[in-house]
Amino acid sequence: MRKAGKLIKHLGVLTSGGDAPGMNAAIRSVVRSALDRNLKVTGVQRGYWGLLSGDFQDMDSRSVGNIISRGGTILRTVRCPEFRERRNREKAYRHITAAGLDALVAIGGNGTSAAAYTIHQELGLPVAVVPASIDNDIFGTDETVGFDTAVNTAVEAIDKIRDTAGSHERIFVAEVMGRNNGFIAQEVGLCCGAEAVLVPEVAFDLKKICRELALGRKRGKLSSIIIMAEGAGDSRKIAAEINGHMGLEVRVSVLGYIQRGGNPSARSRLLAARLGSTAVRALCEGRTAVLAAVQKGAFVAAPLLPAVKQTKRIDHKAYQLTYQLAL
Ligand code: F6P
């Protein structure tokens, strides 16, 4: 176990889990905030896999030059199920100790947060998480780095789909990302004026939705867009069911990985810059298990444990609003 209260001189930084636009801007913020405080900074390649294998590189201010506008992550990322095994983690702890890391900033989503918390518990290493995931599903922060960009990418794509839907008087099912939750779907649904939003968290009645679509057609609404999160079901089966109920042409468009890539939006970059510096500051002030978070507009160093234990819920009022506005 590391001794509590030791001054931090050497910071590690990694990105883990699904890449999210703005991760590079977050790396830049962490590295330069740390250099500004005269810390040594080490980048860990490929997330927790890099800790297991000791794949470390020195970072200086130039190593994060010209990355603020780039999607993806220069440190690369993997999903690392091997890290769930204690005997593998022991290897990581040996590498952390040999490199002399005093603290770690982990940039990523729920899995990243859980692994960072485990390291803190088992090794006593101070850790801070910068929440970065297109899914926006981390408890304790109003928003994650990358979510805004992903929503904007999806909205732009669905606006284009709407042109075809209108011209051909068709129904479209547009599938957005979100295996376990519907944050992207809910926001995109509202922004695109969808007729329905299907998310894994809320049971839906497809027959009822079809009845509403039919009423809409009677009112002169000849095209419709249904936004569904990938975790809400099989989009092709749903399209076939709608076709069965209504006898109308239904097309499916799966947006997929275009939502993960691309230049981060101004908002994603802003969050990355503020949350990265919040994480470094908190560690330098002696905090040991932190979620850098935005809460009601304020950037705060929140405790990490709730983010690991609790599940963020979608806003049901906002979810219902899509249906209310789809008259
Ligand atoms: O967590 C981000 C995310 O894009 C989810 O929305 C999606 O379900 C998942 O990652 C896909 O992960 P992978 O690229 O590892 O298959």
Side-chain angles (χ1 to χ4, degrees):
M1 281 293 264
R2 189 183 176 280
K3 281 196 199 114
K6 189 178 155 200
L7 199 68
I8 288 169
K9 293 195 192 130
H10 187 179
L11 185 70
V13 57
L14 59 79
T15 51
S16 168
D19 67 330
M23 274 186 165
N24 276 328
I27 297 169
R28 174 180 177 273
S29 171
V30 169
V31 170
R32 293 201 174 156
S33 301
L35 294 175
D36 187 47
R37 291 171 180 269
N38 296 317
L39 307 187
K40 180 175 181 217
V41 189
T42 289
V44 180
Q45 292 282 334
R46 298 179 187 83
Y48 292 105
W49 181 256
L51 284 183
L52 296 184
S53 56
D55 197 351
F56 298 162
Q57 71 179 66
D58 290 344
M59 306 285 284
D60 61 19
S61 80
R62 290 325 318 145
S63 50
V64 292
N66 271 332
I67 63 168
I68 194 165
S69 58
R70 279 166 51 194
T73 158
I74 57 161
L75 290 176
R76 304 206 170 86
T77 183
V78 292
R79 302 208 188 263
C80 184
E82 293 83 356
F83 206 77
R84 293 200 192 109
E85 281 185 46
R86 174 81 197 219
R87 69 190 165 90
N88 289 332
R89 290 199 298 276
E90 293 295 345
K91 278 191 222 159
Y93 300 156
R94 285 197 287 277
H95 288 302
I96 290 172
T97 307
L101 299 185
D102 297 318
L104 179 72
V105 175
I107 303 168
N110 276 321
T112 305
S113 306
Y117 194 76
T118 302
I119 294 175
H120 170 64
Q121 276 188 310
E122 292 177 349
L123 189 64
L125 191 79
V127 297
V129 169
V130 173
S133 161
I134 64 162
D135 291 340
N136 199 27
D137 59 346
I138 300 182
F139 184 89
T141 186
D142 297 344
E143 196 173 324
T144 54
V145 172
F147 175 64
D148 179 70
T149 310
V151 167
N152 276 297
T153 301
V155 166
E156 197 184 326
I158 291 161
D159 285 348
K160 291 179 178 146
I161 290 170
R162 180 177 281 285
D163 291 344
T164 301
S167 304
H168 286 263
E169 303 182 352
R170 277 179 185 157
I171 297 171
F172 264 88
V173 175
E175 183 188 302
V176 296
M177 274 190 160
R179 196 161 35 197
N180 303 315
N181 58 71
F183 289 96
I184 297 178
Q186 181 211 284
E187 200 136 309
V188 168
L190 259 182
C191 294
C192 292
E195 273 61 42
V197 180
L198 312 181
V199 297
E201 299 93 325
V202 184
F204 52 84
D205 177 349
L206 213 50
K207 272 192 196 154
K208 187 167 170 238
I209 290 172
C210 289
R211 280 200 297 277
E212 292 298 332
L213 294 181
L215 287 173
R217 286 187 98 83
K218 280 197 185 136
R219 292 193 303 271
K221 188 179 245 195
L222 298 178
S223 66
S224 305
I225 306 233
I226 296 172
I227 306 291
M228 69 172 285
E230 60 175 315
D234 179 332
S235 47
R236 294 191 190 279
K237 279 194 190 149
I238 285 175
E241 262 188 69
I242 298 172
N243 171 268
H245 290 310
M246 302 186 70
L248 295 170
E249 267 192 310
V250 187
R251 292 284 195 267
V252 176
S253 194
V254 178
L255 302 193
Y257 285 92
I258 62 161
Q259 295 157 96
R260 286 249 290 263
N263 300 347
S265 66
R267 184 164 175 79
S268 290
R269 295 179 203 194
L270 187 101
L271 279 179
R274 298 295 302 264
L275 296 175
S277 85
T278 300
V280 173
R281 192 184 62 237
L283 291 171
C284 289
E285 286 173 354
R287 297 283 301 276
T288 56
V290 166
L291 176 74
V294 55
Q295 295 178 348
K296 298 191 174 136
F299 292 91
V300 297
L304 183 55
L305 186 59
V308 173
K309 291 264 176 241
Q310 296 186 53
T311 306
K312 187 170 171 184
R313 308 263 171 227
I314 61 163
D315 177 346
H316 276 264
K317 277 195 187 145
Y319 172 79
Q320 287 301 338
L321 187 59
T322 302
Y323 286 91
Q324 284 161 21
L325 298 183
L327 286 173

